[in-house]
Amino acid sequence: MDCSTAKFLVWTFPDAKSTRNLGSIYTNVMRWVAVAMREGRVLLLDDRDWALADCPTKNSECYFEPISNCTMADADQAPPDDVHQIKDLT
C-alpha cells in the first residue's frame, strides 16, 4: 500500500468522558473496517492520547498491532477530499 496516494477513513476514538471498554471500541472498529473496505479507503484509528492507553505511546498499540502500515501522519498530509473523518457516534 502506497500511503502517499491512499484515501483514508479515520475514526476518532471516544474522548475521556465517553470512553468505553476495549471490547466495545473494537466492535466499532470492525464496523469501520467494513465501511473502509466498501469505500476503497484505508481505515486509520485516531487514538492519539487515548484515555485507556497504559503505555508510553498512549494509543491502541499498547494492546494491539497496528491495523495498517499507513499512519495518522499520512492522513494529515493527504488532500482533504481523501480523508473522511468519523467522530464517535455516542
Side-chain angles (χ1 to χ4, degrees):
M1 167 64 56
D2 181 0
C3 299
S4 67
T5 60
K7 293 185 178 187
F8 299 99
L9 179 65
V10 178
W11 180 50
T12 303
F13 268 35
D15 64 19
K17 294 177 185 172
S18 61
T19 295
R20 297 179 294 267
N21 66 43
L22 292 174
S24 174
I25 286 172
Y26 276 88
T27 297
N28 281 293
V29 169
M30 289 186 298
R31 175 184 337 152
W32 298 126
V33 165
V35 171
M37 291 174 66
R38 185 180 66 227
E39 293 181 0
R41 294 178 178 269
V42 175
L43 178 65
L44 292 178
L45 307 178
D46 187 357
D47 57 358
R48 297 174 276 197
D49 296 320
W50 180 37
L52 290 181
D54 189 19
C55 72
T57 61
K58 294 293 187 193
N59 62 25
S60 63
E61 291 178 19
C62 294
Y63 308 106
F64 302 99
E65 293 290 323
I67 63 171
S68 172
N69 65 311
C70 300
T71 66
M72 283 304 301
D74 296 314
D76 290 342
Q77 295 176 15
D81 289 344
D82 289 349
V83 181
H84 182 183
Q85 288 277 150
I86 299 171
K87 300 290 183 189
D88 189 41
L89 299 176
T90 58

